[in-house]
Amino acid sequence: MLSRKQVEQYRYDGYLFPFPALTAAELDASNAGLARFERWLGKPVNEGDFRWRSASYVMLPWVDALVRHKRILDVVEDLIGPDILVYTATWFIKERKSPTFAAWHQDATYFGLDPHEHVTAWVALSEADAEAGCMEVVSSEGRPRQRRHAALGLQNSINGAGQAIVEPPEDPGDARVAAMMALDAGSFSLHHTLCRHRSAPNRAGHRRVGLGISYIPAHCRLTGTVRMCARLVRGHDSFGHFDLIAPPEGELHPAALERHERVYRAYRENYAEQIAAHERAFAVQPA
Ligand SMILES: O=C(O)CCC(=O)C(=O)O
């Protein structure tokens, strides 16, 4: 459970860390699960089609267990309330000594969720320190706001669209040194959907593995036209803004794989729609 001070800190900064979550046995089981998944794929998740980085709780029971982990949900509940959906979960993997990085960005940009209450729990399945290219964050200083982005398709970007904030910094906070969200394996950090974050290449001798789980309260809805799926992981959904998905029937079970394809397609459709919506919202108005 979070203290009042921690909740206030999160509301002010837009991030909070570190929190221990997985036992050594859970961590081993998760890494063994990831190795099985990569054997099935025939390649590292991060080198395969982007679909395999997305929403793997739909087809892998051990990831479903991770997104429902009590220690994670207890903390998330203190921030967004008792009725919790998983909107998506993404593998963020950087091979040892690799140039993979993330440019400064905000998760809210291409998600289209309203209100801005989405929180990401970034769960480390390996050590993720500064050398390994852990996440860096800048405090929102109590004034979070959506910044202008462009989907630049940056080379070596860990984010699908290679998106980056493209507006110039305008306040002293922007120039301040970012906090390094270093994590031990098995622990997690939290960042708000409007928190600016980035990460540097992995200079360490080990693979950096993280799963970013996107949690939203059940009252959140999508602003676009795409009907999306979500997994109810705690409480009740009395809003019906999403199609709730069933737990996987088994590891890579055909029915779960079919469902995953539907979930992923809707995710991509919404994402593309939101890129266009963001560009319209920030378009310079003719004089
Ligand atoms: O894992 C990283 O380095 C970046 C992660 C990220 O952008 C996110 O969790 O939203």
Side-chain angles (χ1 to χ4, degrees):
M1 231 185 91
L2 295 177
S3 67
R4 178 124 66 93
K5 191 158 175 285
Q6 283 176 305
V7 174
E8 280 166 11
Q9 196 75 51
Y10 172 79
R11 304 257 181 261
Y12 183 79
D13 287 329
Y15 63 87
L16 209 57
F17 74 104
F19 297 96
L22 309 186
T23 63
E26 287 170 335
L27 183 60
D28 285 351
S30 298
N31 277 311
L34 179 59
R36 280 196 310 281
F37 183 37
E38 295 191 315
R39 269 199 302 279
W40 180 82
L41 283 176
K43 55 176 73 158
V45 182
N46 43 313
E47 287 173 19
D49 187 283
F50 193 86
R51 63 177 23 74
W52 305 119
R53 283 184 52 199
S54 182
S56 39
Y57 51 89
V58 180
M59 57 190 170
L60 301 172
W62 60 273
V63 181
D64 190 58
L66 270 182
V67 305
R68 290 183 296 106
H69 198 287
K70 184 179 178 328
R71 280 201 175 157
I72 302 175
L73 289 180
D74 285 350
V75 171
V76 168
E77 178 169 347
D78 286 344
L79 300 179
I80 65 172
D83 299 322
I84 305 175
L85 301 175
V86 171
Y87 169 75
T88 193
T90 308
W91 287 108
F92 290 108
I93 298 178
K94 295 177 180 175
E95 296 301 333
R96 59 185 289 279
K97 306 226 178 269
S98 72
T100 308
F101 80 109
W104 284 115
H105 70 281
Q106 295 167 303
D107 295 339
T109 310
Y110 302 138
F111 276 3
L113 290 163
D114 180 45
H116 280 144
E117 292 180 33
H118 154 228
V119 58
T120 298
W122 197 98
V123 185
L125 294 191
S126 70
E127 196 188 334
D129 60 5
E131 197 188 13
C134 68
M135 266 197 291
E136 300 168 42
V137 279
V138 170
S139 172
S140 299
E141 301 188 322
R143 291 173 286 112
R145 70 169 178 84
Q146 178 66 59
R147 312 247 163 177
R148 183 179 190 158
H149 286 59
L152 299 173
L154 300 167
Q155 204 187 356
N156 297 320
S157 170
I158 203 166
N159 287 315
Q163 66 266 43
I165 295 174
V166 290
E167 58 182 77
E170 97 245 308
D171 58 46
D174 283 347
R176 261 176 227 157
V177 178
M180 307 296 284
M181 290 215 288
L183 294 173
D184 290 334
S187 62
F188 69 98
S189 59
L190 297 163
H191 62 274
H192 180 262
T193 198
L194 286 171
C195 169
R196 284 166 290 163
H197 55 289
R198 73 168 175 188
S199 69
N202 181 2
R203 291 174 288 109
H206 68 272
R207 190 182 202 209
R208 194 216 69 168
V209 180
L211 180 70
I213 309 171
S214 295
Y215 292 105
I216 55 172
H219 62 253
C220 259
R221 55 175 204 89
L222 282 165
T223 55
T225 63
V226 180
R227 177 84 184 164
M228 281 195 43
C229 306
R231 173 99 169 95
L232 180 68
V233 288
R234 185 170 276 187
H236 305 280
D237 174 20
S238 49
F239 294 89
H241 295 320
F242 295 85
D243 289 339
L244 299 185
I245 47 166
E249 290 81 353
E251 188 157 307
L252 299 164
H253 187 283
L257 282 169
E258 208 176 297
R259 198 177 303 120
H260 178 262
E261 190 56 29
R262 186 157 56 83
V263 169
Y264 179 70
R265 244 185 282 125
Y267 177 81
R268 295 310 314 176
E269 251 177 72
N270 176 61
Y271 204 83
E273 196 177 290
Q274 293 299 335
I275 290 179
H278 181 81
E279 275 159 22
R280 275 197 307 278
F282 279 87
V284 179
Q285 299 298 318

